[in-house]
Amino acid sequence: MPHSPEEKKKVLARVRRIRGQCDALERALEAGADCGPVLQQIAAIRGAVNGLMSEVMEAHLREEFGRPAQSAAQRAARVTEMSGLIRSYLK
């Protein structure tokens, strides 16, 4: 998770934009919008969420690997954790 006030502000702004996109999608679905614009909005939301995930993951990588590990076991645990995160991200 981004910890600096600037990073946190950027991430929260992204989340609010995604919320706005989801609200717009809900209104379109309730109004019976055509499939094309609905699919386009869904793709935009997916892209926004992927961008958010990339940004948070990048901040986590900088935080975890920006400082030296205290031991080989700690380094291995960090790599295992990041491998799991990346694997779940790519699903």
Side-chain angles (χ1 to χ4, degrees):
M1 171 64 200
H3 294 287
S4 77
E6 182 179 306
E7 283 182 328
K8 190 178 281 189
K9 186 176 180 180
K10 279 177 47 178
V11 168
L12 289 172
R14 276 183 177 261
V15 168
R16 289 182 185 111
R17 281 194 304 273
I18 292 168
R19 183 182 308 132
Q21 289 176 306
C22 289
D23 290 344
L25 175 62
E26 182 178 2
R27 286 190 302 274
L29 290 170
E30 287 174 347
D34 291 335
C35 288
V38 167
L39 289 169
Q40 190 173 22
Q41 185 66 26
I42 292 169
I45 293 167
R46 180 181 56 196
V49 169
N50 285 342
L52 173 65
M53 187 174 296
S54 293
E55 195 169 317
V56 172
M57 189 177 298
E58 184 179 332
H60 185 64
L61 281 168
R62 277 195 310 270
E63 184 179 306
E64 283 298 310
F65 293 101
R67 55 184 161 69
Q70 295 175 357
S71 67
Q74 184 186 37
R75 185 174 54 243
R78 286 176 170 175
V79 169
T80 299
E81 177 195 1
M82 289 313 304
S83 296
L85 284 173
I86 293 169
R87 195 173 6 277
S88 68
Y89 174 71
L90 295 175
K91 283 186 179 180

